[in-house]
Amino acid sequence: LHNCELSSSKNNDRFTKVLAEMVDKFQTDVTSYLEQSTNETYTQPTEDVQARIAELTQFEKRVNELENTRDDYTRYEEVLQVNEASNFNNVDKLKTEVTMRILLWKTLTEWRDSSQEWIALPFVNINAKELGQKADQFTKSVYRIEKNLPESSVIMDLKKSVHNFREAIPVVTALRSPF
């Protein structure tokens, strides 16, 4: 029994050491990805928005894998009863960075498509209430993007476009009113 306890203790120490090395490498990888995600090219104008979205979506898949690895390492630390649990806050920060950049480009694409559709729509077919709700959704997305990403011309142009459109909604609503 004593030999089993001794062996168990040695194995626990060995596994804890190996896990610590794995966590250190993992943290280095996450830091590298975080630096890549904050590259300003992801918030600068591009001709091929769909390619940018595809690139960021691939990045997001890698972040999801990193989240799974973080969860595994956290469980391993619990099982091994590691005295000081590792801090994996950078994974959450990385997730936010990538998610916000994807939101930027998807919002921009949806805004362009929707606003062109609304402009081409005959005035009698405009649903002012729905238009206002959609504009509110875009405004909220722009606010989140602006709050979480560094300033860029893409963000400022999107914000200006949404704001200008929202200013016209009361006029459209008044003109569409049957009274």
Side-chain angles (χ1 to χ4, degrees):
L1 188 61
H2 176 70
N3 285 340
C4 285
E5 287 178 5
L6 186 60
S7 175
S8 175
S9 177
K10 286 181 183 179
N11 284 337
N12 193 27
D13 291 344
R14 184 170 52 101
F15 292 139
T16 300
K17 185 176 180 179
V18 169
L19 179 60
E21 292 168 2
M22 292 168 59
V23 167
D24 285 343
K25 181 179 179 338
F26 176 78
Q27 296 286 25
T28 301
D29 290 347
V30 169
T31 300
S32 174
Y33 281 112
L34 190 55
E35 289 172 9
Q36 289 175 32
S37 75
T38 57
N39 185 327
E40 69 180 33
T41 60
Y42 290 128
T43 58
Q44 296 303 314
T46 182
E47 293 295 319
D48 193 354
V49 173
Q50 293 307 318
R52 179 71 45 85
I53 291 171
E55 182 180 355
L56 286 166
T57 300
Q58 287 301 315
F59 206 134
E60 184 179 43
K61 288 179 183 176
R62 180 62 184 129
V63 171
N64 291 338
E65 292 170 6
L66 291 171
E67 285 181 310
N68 291 336
T69 301
R70 174 204 53 201
D71 295 344
D72 289 343
Y73 288 173
T74 300
R75 279 193 304 276
Y76 298 157
E77 287 179 338
E78 289 172 5
V79 167
L80 293 171
Q81 299 175 347
V82 174
N83 291 335
E84 284 189 40
S86 299
N87 181 344
F88 295 112
N89 290 341
N90 273 351
V91 177
D92 295 329
K93 185 174 181 183
L94 175 60
K95 178 73 171 186
T96 300
E97 292 290 338
V98 173
T99 300
M100 286 294 108
R101 282 160 176 76
I102 290 172
L103 179 63
L104 167 63
W105 294 105
K106 285 186 175 182
T107 300
L108 179 67
T109 301
E110 288 177 35
W111 174 253
R112 285 180 179 166
D113 293 345
S114 295
S115 61
Q116 287 173 357
E117 179 185 319
W118 295 329
I119 290 169
L121 198 62
F123 191 76
V124 296
N125 294 343
I126 293 176
N127 181 338
K129 183 178 179 181
E130 180 182 319
L131 191 70
Q133 290 171 341
K134 292 268 189 180
D136 287 344
Q137 290 173 350
F138 282 111
T139 301
K140 288 176 185 176
S141 292
V142 168
Y143 175 76
R144 282 184 60 210
I145 291 164
E146 190 177 34
K147 181 179 166 199
N148 289 292
L149 292 179
E151 188 174 308
S152 79
S153 62
V154 174
I155 297 169
M156 298 313 293
D157 290 346
L158 177 61
K159 179 183 177 181
K160 182 179 177 183
S161 180
V162 170
H163 178 72
N164 289 343
F165 195 86
R166 282 198 68 204
E167 286 182 340
I169 291 175
V171 174
V172 172
T173 302
L175 291 173
R176 290 286 300 140
S177 177
F179 304 106

